[in-house]
């Protein structure tokens, strides 16, 4: 199975971006990227291995890691022993919910730092808005955008039931 040069470049670009974000090995990031730009029907082990150009053992290990992280899942077709790998349907929703919680924790930490500095270094707050307050507002705005996105995904899924 061959893919276009355009798709190869896109897989590489997505993979490079996802490595640090998802803390993935380069091969796992490329496999995830490949599945991201493939049909929701998914790809077989052999198709993934052939497109990515990796060994059987490396492909297997990285597919297992991605499955354990719940970034991808697989299914089988009746009468077919092959597994078809695809992006996990609700990974994006889970990632957004985790991001919302992370932002909440960061807001609480910034509030603690700001409160501490107000008591111990009040001169920082006499004539200007503190960096902590500016940061807290930024984080709250980000959290609001994440919440809106989560709501839209949930509403979309509810309308399909």
């Amino acid at each position: 199975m061959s893919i276009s040069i355009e798709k190869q470049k896109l897989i590489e670009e997505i993979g490079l971006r996802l490595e640090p974000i998802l803390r993935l090995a380069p091969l796992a990031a490329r496999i995830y990227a490949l599945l991201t730009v493939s049909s929701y029907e998914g790809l077989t082990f052999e198709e993934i291995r052939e497109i990515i150009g990796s060994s059987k053992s490396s492909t297997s290990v990285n597919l297992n890691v991605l499955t354990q992280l719940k970034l991808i899942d697989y299914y089988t077709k009746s009468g077919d022993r092959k597994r078809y790998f695809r992006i996990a349907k609700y990974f994006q929703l889970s990632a957004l919910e985790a991001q919302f919680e992370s932002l909440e924790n960061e807001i609480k930490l910034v509030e603690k730092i700001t409160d501490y500095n107000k008591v111990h270094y009040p001169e920082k707050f006499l004539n200007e808005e503190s960096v902590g307050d500016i940061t807290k507002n930024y984080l709250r705005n980000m959290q609001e955008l994440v919440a809106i996105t989560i709501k839209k995904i949930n509403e979309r899924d509810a309308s399909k039931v």
Side-chain angles (χ1 to χ4, degrees), residues 101-132:
E101 185 64 31
S102 176
L103 287 165
E104 183 64 32
N105 291 334
E106 198 168 342
I107 290 167
K108 288 176 183 175
L109 183 59
V110 170
E111 287 173 341
K112 285 180 181 180
I113 294 167
T114 302
D115 291 345
Y116 178 87
N117 282 334
K118 279 183 181 178
V119 170
H120 294 88
Y121 303 104
E123 66 277 4
K124 287 183 174 182
F125 298 90
L126 290 177
N127 296 319
E128 60 186 63
E129 185 177 21
S130 76
V131 172

Side-chain angles (χ1 to χ4, degrees), residues 1-155:
M1 174 182 244
S2 65
I3 61 171
S4 69
I5 292 173
E6 177 186 18
K7 190 171 185 176
Q8 287 174 351
K9 287 180 179 179
L10 185 56
I11 290 167
E12 185 65 19
E13 185 177 343
I14 294 168
L16 287 170
R17 178 77 174 111
L18 291 179
E19 273 181 55
I21 293 171
L22 298 176
R23 295 184 183 108
L24 294 174
L27 180 57
R30 271 41 167 208
I31 291 171
Y32 187 79
L34 169 63
L35 294 173
T36 299
V37 294
S38 297
S39 93
Y40 194 68
E41 294 297 313
L43 297 171
T44 66
F45 177 90
E46 285 301 322
E47 289 170 329
I48 293 168
R49 193 186 68 67
E50 184 182 323
I51 292 168
I52 298 293
S54 54
S55 71
K56 286 183 180 182
S57 63
S58 294
T59 303
S60 179
V61 165
N62 284 280
L63 284 170
N64 285 334
V65 166
L66 291 168
T67 302
Q68 289 170 356
L69 292 172
K70 297 183 179 170
L71 295 173
I72 66 171
D73 59 22
Y74 65 87
Y75 69 99
T76 57
K77 295 179 181 178
S78 181
D80 187 352
R81 294 179 54 197
K82 295 177 184 176
R83 293 190 299 171
Y84 292 81
F85 295 90
R86 61 187 176 188
I87 296 296
K89 187 173 183 180
Y90 292 102
F91 168 71
Q92 190 64 39
L93 183 59
S94 297
L96 286 167
E97 289 168 345
Q99 184 177 8
F100 184 89
E101 185 64 31
S102 176
L103 287 165
E104 183 64 32
N105 291 334
E106 198 168 342
I107 290 167
K108 288 176 183 175
L109 183 59
V110 170
E111 287 173 341
K112 285 180 181 180
I113 294 167
T114 302
D115 291 345
Y116 178 87
N117 282 334
K118 279 183 181 178
V119 170
H120 294 88
Y121 303 104
E123 66 277 4
K124 287 183 174 182
F125 298 90
L126 290 177
N127 296 319
E128 60 186 63
E129 185 177 21
S130 76
V131 172
D133 288 337
I134 294 168
T135 301
K136 190 169 51 174
N137 289 334
Y138 163 77
L139 294 169
R140 283 196 174 126
N141 288 334
M142 290 296 297
Q143 194 178 41
E144 184 178 332
L145 289 172
V146 171
I148 289 167
T149 305
I150 290 170
K151 182 179 178 195
K152 285 182 180 179
I153 290 172
N154 286 329
E155 287 172 350

